[in-house]
Amino acid sequence: MNNLSLALLFLTLLFTSNSLPAQLLNEFYWPLEVKTAYENHTRSPDGNPGKNYFQNQADYSIQAEFFPDTKMLNGVETITYKNNSPDTLSNLYFNLFQNLYKKGITRDADVDAINIHDGVKIKRVSVNGILADSNLYRFYNTIFVVHSPVKLTPSSNSTIEIEWTEKMPVTDVKRQGTYDSSSFFIAYWYPKICVFDDVEGWNAVGHKGTAEFYSDFGNFDVEITAPANYLLWSSGNLQNADEIFTKKFAERIKQAAQSDTVVQIVNEADRKENQITKPSEKHLWKLNSENQTDFAFALSDCYLWDGASVLAGSVRIPVNSVYQANAKNFKLVTRISQLTVDFYATQLPAIPFPYKQLTAFHGRRGGMEFPGMINDDDFSSDMETGFVTTHEIGHAYFPFNVGINEQKYGWMDEALVTFIGLEAFADQIGDTNFMIFGEVIKSYQEKAGSQTIDIPVMMASYELSDQPAGFTTYIKPATALYLLYNYLGKEKFYQAIRLFTDRWKGKHPIPYDLFFTFNEAADEDLAWFWKPWFFEFGYSDLAIGEIKKGKNANIITIENKGGYPVPLILTIKYMDGTKEVIKKKMDIWKTGIKSYDVGVPEGDIEEIILNNAMIPECSNDNNRIRL
Ligand SMILES: [Zn+2]
């Protein structure tokens, strides 16, 4: 072989091994960085991680002290950072989330003036023991950039040490804060290295208040010092309960962790007696967790504490609820947590519960998820309590166990969790036909088709706030998943969620990985569904069009006004009192047709009704015709 043909062969090999099939490229929009990731085989068109997939690992060892009186937190951390990427990293990007409350910072959601401060103070940063030059620090919104004194080469392990001090919110804010004078939910509290991934490189847009988070996986070794009369609950597993608790309470914690029924670990009388922890000025809480994406903790000297456990599959998981003495519905949360953890571990996604324990903290302002913890309001109704508890626990799988980039694709976890959360809730209330999902459909119908709110789901989450954020992160993609569930049937749809969870647990999928995994589980290329519902403007709206009376049959034309594929149910009532119901799956629209003819048996038609409450329908004009 001469040099020219060798070169040609090489080029051909290069071309064929790197290019994506044309059919796939034509199916929907491929941003260049996503296309490049698939061409580089870090991701694969079959929905699996590609053969060159990588993710960096960040293990945290943190020592911190929290001062309830001043809400100050001082900490020092060592991040052991494994650079598994093929790139050499010389600038390191961190999130200082409490800088959301820094004076003058860019935000897309209001914060109370009382919480504004001068920002997180970085005392020092060193990499592999060498101090970074503080003159080269850069700060923009919540991002902190350090010019590393050492280049982080591919496959290197580096230790990054950071010492800092910060003020935590003095009131309850979104997702975290101070709930009474001595009860705190402490989240987003340590300098956290941004994710460097195969699609974006550094994911360093920062946090503006609305869009959520994106995290490396890592092991946490955390030590928190707090005044001795405070109890602490966290994302981790407590290593030194016997050092902190008096014998009676150490026993109760152990008892609850093995109990199917709820044990009052700390009740009001115990709080009055104040002999829960051993006498001391302060206690050091030693906590750890493995392969986790974040770490939060809560402290209180007055909250009550219920505990129980649930045998979820083959593993017994302790579940706890901690709440103010005047809470109304929070006492239900331990029991709901048991049922929910069991549902997720054994039914959907039927993957072992990712944490060794779970604590529900009584907070305010809706609900929020953290690894091994949830922070939820005390709702006035049992329904809301059940709905929010099941939802927030569902986040254990997405975005945590499956590491979703919520900054860009917040819908991935919220839509999946809206779906599995409602399935868990439906299971608990005996809603065997999953009618509860009708509530999501109602919400969809209220806003769908509005130009400023109903925008394509694939818009980057961090560009959105207010109504478009809520609609495109939760309501619209969850509605789409529900339609897919109807189309595929429960078994295949559950299998798709299970396959996706199993494939991507401990990893960072993007939407294309989800689409391709669902395609595989469905045994069908569903691009005709993904493209309109996730990439394009449009909505769900069918209408009854022309009615033609034929010799042996009547033809009713159904017009697709909104452009999105949706199923149809046509009910035809005849003058003689008989009725015909015709159902068509949403793939009748897969070729992009705008109208579809339905043949119905001949006879004198009295009334035609199109669709029902479980099929999203944005305009009810022309959905019911009396002849
Ligand atoms: Zn959620």
Side-chain angles (χ1 to χ4, degrees), residues 192-296:
K192 188 171 186 181
I193 195 158
C194 296
V195 177
F196 184 91
D197 70 16
D198 60 314
V199 179
E200 289 280 333
W202 285 110
N203 285 264
V205 292
H207 177 57
K208 289 188 288 186
T210 301
E212 297 193 326
F213 311 97
Y214 183 30
S215 311
D216 281 319
F217 287 85
N219 301 321
F220 285 81
D221 215 327
V222 177
E223 293 182 357
I224 307 286
T225 302
N229 53 333
Y230 277 78
L231 298 185
L232 183 148
W233 306 272
S234 81
S235 293
N237 312 299
L238 182 59
Q239 300 301 299
N240 61 335
D242 290 335
E243 284 172 34
I244 294 170
F245 290 96
T246 55
K247 195 157 177 266
K248 178 169 144 188
F249 291 90
E251 286 302 320
R252 278 195 200 165
I253 294 167
K254 281 182 199 144
Q255 184 202 342
Q258 295 299 323
S259 172
D260 290 324
T261 54
V262 178
V263 174
Q264 279 196 313
I265 297 173
V266 174
N267 60 31
E268 280 190 88
D270 299 326
R271 279 300 194 183
K272 281 197 189 100
E273 219 173 74
N274 197 21
Q275 289 177 2
I276 303 164
T277 55
K278 290 181 177 171
S280 175
E281 190 197 339
K282 292 174 179 178
H283 281 302
L284 176 71
W285 298 74
K286 296 178 183 168
L287 312 145
N288 67 24
S289 63
E290 285 164 22
N291 205 29
Q292 204 157 284
T293 51
D294 200 5
F295 199 99

Side-chain angles (χ1 to χ4, degrees), residues 212 367 369 391-392 395 413-414 417-418 474:
E212 297 193 326
E369 68 275 12
H391 179 97
E392 302 308 343
H395 279 299
D413 65 298
E414 293 302 351
V417 172
T418 297
Y474 295 79

Side-chain angles (χ1 to χ4, degrees), residues 164-178:
W164 81 99
T165 182
E166 65 192 338
K167 185 163 187 174
M168 301 305 291
V170 301
T171 63
D172 64 296
V173 295
K174 206 172 181 180
R175 309 181 178 102
Q176 50 155 338
T178 296

Side-chain angles (χ1 to χ4, degrees), residues 31 73 80 190 193 200 207 216 295 310 326 354 368 391 438 446 449 472 483 511 591 595:
L73 187 147
T80 304
Y190 57 94
I193 195 158
E200 289 280 333
H207 177 57
D216 281 319
F295 199 99
V310 56
N326 63 2
M368 186 61 200
H391 179 97
E446 279 169 22
T472 57
L483 292 177
T591 57
S595 65

